[in-house]
Short mmCIF file of all heavy atoms in Angstrom, two decimals:
data_model
loop_
_atom_site.label_atom_id
_atom_site.label_comp_id
_atom_site.label_asym_id
_atom_site.label_seq_id
_atom_site.Cartn_x
_atom_site.Cartn_y
_atom_site.Cartn_z
N ILE B 1 12.30 -2.14 -22.60
CA ILE B 1 11.65 -3.14 -21.74
C ILE B 1 12.12 -3.00 -20.30
O ILE B 1 11.33 -3.13 -19.36
CB ILE B 1 11.92 -4.57 -22.27
CG1 ILE B 1 11.32 -4.76 -23.66
CG2 ILE B 1 11.36 -5.62 -21.31
CD1 ILE B 1 9.81 -4.58 -23.71
N THR B 2 13.41 -2.73 -20.13
CA THR B 2 13.95 -2.53 -18.78
C THR B 2 13.28 -1.36 -18.09
O THR B 2 12.93 -1.43 -16.90
CB THR B 2 15.47 -2.30 -18.84
OG1 THR B 2 16.10 -3.42 -19.46
CG2 THR B 2 16.05 -2.10 -17.45
N PHE B 3 13.10 -0.26 -18.87
CA PHE B 3 12.44 0.92 -18.32
C PHE B 3 11.01 0.59 -17.90
O PHE B 3 10.57 0.97 -16.79
CB PHE B 3 12.44 2.05 -19.35
CG PHE B 3 11.63 3.25 -18.95
CD1 PHE B 3 12.09 4.13 -17.98
CD2 PHE B 3 10.38 3.47 -19.53
CE1 PHE B 3 11.32 5.23 -17.60
CE2 PHE B 3 9.62 4.57 -19.16
CZ PHE B 3 10.08 5.44 -18.19
N LEU B 4 10.25 -0.10 -18.74
CA LEU B 4 8.87 -0.47 -18.40
C LEU B 4 8.84 -1.39 -17.18
O LEU B 4 7.96 -1.27 -16.32
CB LEU B 4 8.21 -1.16 -19.59
CG LEU B 4 7.94 -0.31 -20.84
CD1 LEU B 4 7.31 -1.17 -21.92
CD2 LEU B 4 7.04 0.87 -20.49
N PHE B 5 9.79 -2.30 -17.12
CA PHE B 5 9.88 -3.24 -16.00
C PHE B 5 10.08 -2.50 -14.68
O PHE B 5 9.35 -2.72 -13.71
CB PHE B 5 11.04 -4.21 -16.28
CG PHE B 5 11.34 -5.16 -15.16
CD1 PHE B 5 10.43 -6.13 -14.77
CD2 PHE B 5 12.56 -5.07 -14.49
CE1 PHE B 5 10.72 -7.01 -13.73
CE2 PHE B 5 12.86 -5.95 -13.46
CZ PHE B 5 11.95 -6.91 -13.08
N LEU B 6 11.06 -1.59 -14.65
CA LEU B 6 11.35 -0.85 -13.42
C LEU B 6 10.22 0.12 -13.07
O LEU B 6 9.88 0.29 -11.90
CB LEU B 6 12.68 -0.09 -13.56
CG LEU B 6 13.94 -0.95 -13.65
CD1 LEU B 6 15.16 -0.07 -13.90
CD2 LEU B 6 14.13 -1.76 -12.38
N LEU B 7 9.65 0.76 -14.08
CA LEU B 7 8.55 1.70 -13.83
C LEU B 7 7.34 1.00 -13.24
O LEU B 7 6.71 1.50 -12.29
CB LEU B 7 8.16 2.41 -15.13
CG LEU B 7 7.01 3.43 -15.03
CD1 LEU B 7 7.39 4.56 -14.07
CD2 LEU B 7 6.65 3.97 -16.41
N SER B 8 6.99 -0.17 -13.77
CA SER B 8 5.83 -0.91 -13.25
C SER B 8 6.06 -1.33 -11.80
O SER B 8 5.14 -1.24 -10.97
CB SER B 8 5.56 -2.15 -14.12
OG SER B 8 6.64 -3.05 -14.08
N LEU B 9 7.27 -1.76 -11.49
CA LEU B 9 7.58 -2.15 -10.11
C LEU B 9 7.52 -0.95 -9.17
O LEU B 9 7.02 -1.06 -8.04
CB LEU B 9 8.96 -2.80 -10.04
CG LEU B 9 9.10 -4.18 -10.70
CD1 LEU B 9 10.55 -4.61 -10.70
CD2 LEU B 9 8.22 -5.21 -10.00
N TYR B 10 8.01 0.20 -9.64
CA TYR B 10 7.99 1.40 -8.80
C TYR B 10 6.56 1.85 -8.52
O TYR B 10 6.22 2.21 -7.38
CB TYR B 10 8.77 2.52 -9.49
CG TYR B 10 8.85 3.78 -8.66
CD1 TYR B 10 9.46 3.78 -7.41
CD2 TYR B 10 8.31 4.98 -9.13
CE1 TYR B 10 9.54 4.94 -6.65
CE2 TYR B 10 8.39 6.14 -8.37
CZ TYR B 10 9.00 6.11 -7.14
OH TYR B 10 9.06 7.25 -6.37
N ILE B 11 5.70 1.81 -9.52
CA ILE B 11 4.30 2.19 -9.31
C ILE B 11 3.61 1.22 -8.35
O ILE B 11 2.82 1.63 -7.49
CB ILE B 11 3.54 2.25 -10.65
CG1 ILE B 11 4.13 3.36 -11.52
CG2 ILE B 11 2.05 2.51 -10.42
CD1 ILE B 11 3.55 3.43 -12.92
N LEU B 12 3.94 -0.07 -8.46
CA LEU B 12 3.37 -1.05 -7.52
C LEU B 12 3.80 -0.75 -6.09
O LEU B 12 3.00 -0.87 -5.14
CB LEU B 12 3.80 -2.46 -7.91
CG LEU B 12 3.13 -3.05 -9.16
CD1 LEU B 12 3.78 -4.37 -9.54
CD2 LEU B 12 1.63 -3.25 -8.94
N ILE B 13 5.05 -0.33 -5.92
CA ILE B 13 5.54 0.01 -4.57
C ILE B 13 4.85 1.27 -4.06
O ILE B 13 4.50 1.36 -2.87
CB ILE B 13 7.07 0.18 -4.60
CG1 ILE B 13 7.74 -1.18 -4.80
CG2 ILE B 13 7.57 0.82 -3.29
CD1 ILE B 13 9.22 -1.11 -5.02
N LEU B 14 4.63 2.26 -4.94
CA LEU B 14 3.91 3.47 -4.53
C LEU B 14 2.47 3.13 -4.13
O LEU B 14 1.95 3.67 -3.15
CB LEU B 14 3.91 4.49 -5.66
CG LEU B 14 5.25 5.17 -5.99
CD1 LEU B 14 5.06 6.18 -7.11
CD2 LEU B 14 5.83 5.84 -4.76
N ILE B 15 1.85 2.25 -4.90
CA ILE B 15 0.50 1.79 -4.52
C ILE B 15 0.54 1.11 -3.16
O ILE B 15 -0.34 1.31 -2.32
CB ILE B 15 -0.06 0.84 -5.60
CG1 ILE B 15 -0.36 1.61 -6.89
CG2 ILE B 15 -1.33 0.13 -5.11
CD1 ILE B 15 -0.78 0.74 -8.05
N ASN B 16 1.59 0.33 -2.93
CA ASN B 16 1.74 -0.36 -1.65
C ASN B 16 1.90 0.64 -0.50
O ASN B 16 1.39 0.41 0.61
CB ASN B 16 2.95 -1.29 -1.70
CG ASN B 16 2.79 -2.51 -0.83
OD1 ASN B 16 1.69 -3.07 -0.73
ND2 ASN B 16 3.84 -2.92 -0.17
N SER B 17 2.61 1.74 -0.75
CA SER B 17 2.79 2.76 0.29
C SER B 17 1.46 3.41 0.66
O SER B 17 1.20 3.69 1.83
CB SER B 17 3.80 3.81 -0.16
OG SER B 17 3.25 4.66 -1.14
N GLN B 18 0.61 3.65 -0.35
CA GLN B 18 -0.70 4.24 -0.08
C GLN B 18 -1.62 3.23 0.61
O GLN B 18 -2.42 3.58 1.47
CB GLN B 18 -1.33 4.73 -1.38
CG GLN B 18 -0.53 5.81 -2.10
CD GLN B 18 -0.20 6.97 -1.19
OE1 GLN B 18 -1.09 7.65 -0.67
NE2 GLN B 18 1.09 7.22 -0.98
N TRP B 19 -1.49 1.97 0.22
CA TRP B 19 -2.26 0.91 0.87
C TRP B 19 -1.89 0.80 2.35
O TRP B 19 -2.75 0.66 3.22
CB TRP B 19 -1.99 -0.40 0.13
CG TRP B 19 -2.33 -1.67 0.85
CD1 TRP B 19 -1.48 -2.67 1.20
CD2 TRP B 19 -3.63 -2.10 1.30
NE1 TRP B 19 -2.15 -3.68 1.84
CE2 TRP B 19 -3.47 -3.36 1.91
CE3 TRP B 19 -4.89 -1.54 1.25
CZ2 TRP B 19 -4.53 -4.07 2.46
CZ3 TRP B 19 -5.96 -2.25 1.80
CH2 TRP B 19 -5.78 -3.49 2.39
N TYR B 20 -0.58 0.91 2.64
CA TYR B 20 -0.13 0.91 4.02
C TYR B 20 -0.73 2.09 4.80
O TYR B 20 -1.19 1.92 5.94
CB TYR B 20 1.39 0.98 4.08
CG TYR B 20 1.93 1.39 5.43
CD1 TYR B 20 2.01 0.49 6.48
CD2 TYR B 20 2.34 2.71 5.66
CE1 TYR B 20 2.49 0.87 7.72
CE2 TYR B 20 2.82 3.10 6.89
CZ TYR B 20 2.89 2.18 7.92
OH TYR B 20 3.34 2.57 9.15
N SER B 21 -0.74 3.28 4.20
CA SER B 21 -1.30 4.46 4.88
C SER B 21 -2.78 4.27 5.18
O SER B 21 -3.26 4.66 6.25
CB SER B 21 -1.10 5.71 4.01
OG SER B 21 0.26 6.00 3.86
N ILE B 22 -3.50 3.67 4.24
CA ILE B 22 -4.93 3.41 4.45
C ILE B 22 -5.13 2.46 5.62
O ILE B 22 -5.92 2.71 6.54
CB ILE B 22 -5.57 2.83 3.18
CG1 ILE B 22 -5.62 3.91 2.08
CG2 ILE B 22 -6.96 2.28 3.45
CD1 ILE B 22 -6.05 3.38 0.72
N VAL B 23 -4.39 1.35 5.60
CA VAL B 23 -4.53 0.34 6.67
C VAL B 23 -4.13 0.92 8.01
O VAL B 23 -4.81 0.72 9.02
CB VAL B 23 -3.68 -0.91 6.33
CG1 VAL B 23 -3.66 -1.88 7.51
CG2 VAL B 23 -4.22 -1.60 5.09
N ARG B 24 -3.03 1.69 8.04
CA ARG B 24 -2.57 2.27 9.29
C ARG B 24 -3.61 3.23 9.87
O ARG B 24 -3.87 3.24 11.08
CB ARG B 24 -1.25 3.00 9.05
CG ARG B 24 -0.55 3.50 10.31
CD ARG B 24 -0.01 2.33 11.12
NE ARG B 24 0.70 2.79 12.30
CZ ARG B 24 2.02 2.93 12.37
NH1 ARG B 24 2.77 2.65 11.31
NH2 ARG B 24 2.60 3.33 13.48
N ALA B 25 -4.22 4.05 9.00
CA ALA B 25 -5.24 5.00 9.46
C ALA B 25 -6.47 4.27 10.00
O ALA B 25 -7.02 4.65 11.05
CB ALA B 25 -5.65 5.93 8.33
N LEU B 26 -6.89 3.22 9.31
CA LEU B 26 -8.08 2.48 9.75
C LEU B 26 -7.81 1.74 11.05
O LEU B 26 -8.68 1.69 11.94
CB LEU B 26 -8.50 1.50 8.65
CG LEU B 26 -9.03 2.12 7.35
CD1 LEU B 26 -9.29 1.05 6.30
CD2 LEU B 26 -10.30 2.92 7.62
N ILE B 27 -6.62 1.16 11.18
CA ILE B 27 -6.28 0.45 12.42
C ILE B 27 -6.22 1.41 13.59
O ILE B 27 -6.60 1.07 14.72
CB ILE B 27 -4.95 -0.31 12.25
CG1 ILE B 27 -5.13 -1.47 11.27
CG2 ILE B 27 -4.45 -0.83 13.59
CD1 ILE B 27 -3.84 -2.15 10.90
N ASN B 28 -5.73 2.64 13.34
CA ASN B 28 -5.70 3.64 14.41
C ASN B 28 -7.10 3.99 14.90
O ASN B 28 -7.29 4.35 16.06
CB ASN B 28 -5.00 4.91 13.91
CG ASN B 28 -3.50 4.73 13.81
OD1 ASN B 28 -2.92 3.85 14.45
ND2 ASN B 28 -2.86 5.54 13.00
N ARG B 29 -8.08 3.87 14.02
CA ARG B 29 -9.46 4.16 14.40
C ARG B 29 -10.08 2.98 15.14
O ARG B 29 -10.82 3.15 16.11
CB ARG B 29 -10.28 4.51 13.16
CG ARG B 29 -9.89 5.85 12.54
CD ARG B 29 -10.48 6.04 11.16
NE ARG B 29 -11.94 6.08 11.17
CZ ARG B 29 -12.67 6.28 10.09
NH1 ARG B 29 -12.08 6.47 8.91
NH2 ARG B 29 -13.98 6.31 10.17
N ASN B 30 -9.81 1.78 14.66
CA ASN B 30 -10.39 0.59 15.28
C ASN B 30 -9.51 -0.61 14.95
O ASN B 30 -9.21 -0.87 13.78
CB ASN B 30 -11.82 0.34 14.79
CG ASN B 30 -12.56 -0.68 15.64
OD1 ASN B 30 -12.00 -1.68 16.06
ND2 ASN B 30 -13.83 -0.41 15.91
N ILE B 31 -9.11 -1.33 15.98
CA ILE B 31 -8.18 -2.45 15.78
C ILE B 31 -8.79 -3.58 14.96
O ILE B 31 -8.08 -4.40 14.37
CB ILE B 31 -7.71 -2.96 17.16
CG1 ILE B 31 -6.41 -3.76 17.01
CG2 ILE B 31 -8.80 -3.79 17.84
CD1 ILE B 31 -5.75 -4.09 18.32
N LEU B 32 -10.12 -3.63 14.86
CA LEU B 32 -10.80 -4.67 14.08
C LEU B 32 -10.50 -4.54 12.58
O LEU B 32 -10.74 -5.48 11.82
CB LEU B 32 -12.30 -4.63 14.32
CG LEU B 32 -12.78 -5.04 15.72
CD1 LEU B 32 -14.29 -4.89 15.84
CD2 LEU B 32 -12.36 -6.47 16.04
N TRP B 33 -9.99 -3.37 12.17
CA TRP B 33 -9.66 -3.19 10.76
C TRP B 33 -8.50 -4.06 10.33
O TRP B 33 -8.19 -4.13 9.13
CB TRP B 33 -9.35 -1.72 10.47
CG TRP B 33 -10.58 -0.88 10.26
CD1 TRP B 33 -11.11 0.04 11.10
CD2 TRP B 33 -11.44 -0.91 9.11
NE1 TRP B 33 -12.25 0.61 10.56
CE2 TRP B 33 -12.47 0.05 9.34
CE3 TRP B 33 -11.44 -1.62 7.92
CZ2 TRP B 33 -13.48 0.28 8.41
CZ3 TRP B 33 -12.45 -1.39 6.99
CH2 TRP B 33 -13.45 -0.45 7.24
N TRP B 34 -7.85 -4.74 11.27
CA TRP B 34 -6.81 -5.70 10.88
C TRP B 34 -7.39 -6.81 10.01
O TRP B 34 -6.66 -7.48 9.27
CB TRP B 34 -6.17 -6.31 12.13
CG TRP B 34 -4.97 -5.59 12.61
CD1 TRP B 34 -4.84 -4.83 13.73
CD2 TRP B 34 -3.68 -5.56 11.98
NE1 TRP B 34 -3.57 -4.31 13.84
CE2 TRP B 34 -2.84 -4.74 12.78
CE3 TRP B 34 -3.16 -6.13 10.82
CZ2 TRP B 34 -1.51 -4.51 12.45
CZ3 TRP B 34 -1.83 -5.88 10.48
CH2 TRP B 34 -1.03 -5.08 11.30
N ILE B 35 -8.70 -7.01 10.10
CA ILE B 35 -9.34 -8.04 9.28
C ILE B 35 -9.18 -7.71 7.80
O ILE B 35 -9.05 -8.62 6.96
CB ILE B 35 -10.84 -8.15 9.66
CG1 ILE B 35 -10.97 -8.61 11.12
CG2 ILE B 35 -11.57 -9.11 8.73
CD1 ILE B 35 -12.40 -8.60 11.63
N LEU B 36 -9.20 -6.41 7.46
CA LEU B 36 -9.11 -6.01 6.05
C LEU B 36 -7.81 -6.48 5.39
O LEU B 36 -7.88 -7.17 4.34
CB LEU B 36 -9.26 -4.48 5.93
CG LEU B 36 -9.06 -3.90 4.53
CD1 LEU B 36 -10.14 -4.43 3.58
CD2 LEU B 36 -9.09 -2.37 4.57
#
């Protein structure tokens, strides 16, 4: 259970890192993407 707990949190953080990259790229193109 500990392994599943830590693995799920790590994958959520990796998803968050990709989400940040998406937002950063869109904001660089147009500042209005902050709405997203």
Side-chain angles (χ1 to χ4, degrees):
I1 297 299
T2 301
F3 172 75
L4 292 179
F5 174 66
L6 293 175
L7 180 61
S8 63
L9 291 173
Y10 183 61
I11 295 174
L12 287 172
I13 290 172
L14 290 181
I15 291 174
N16 211 38
S17 73
Q18 299 307 299
W19 162 241
Y20 162 79
S21 296
I22 291 172
V23 172
R24 188 70 178 263
L26 293 175
I27 291 172
N28 286 339
R29 291 167 63 178
N30 193 319
I31 200 170
L32 292 177
W33 278 107
W34 268 109
I35 297 174
L36 175 63

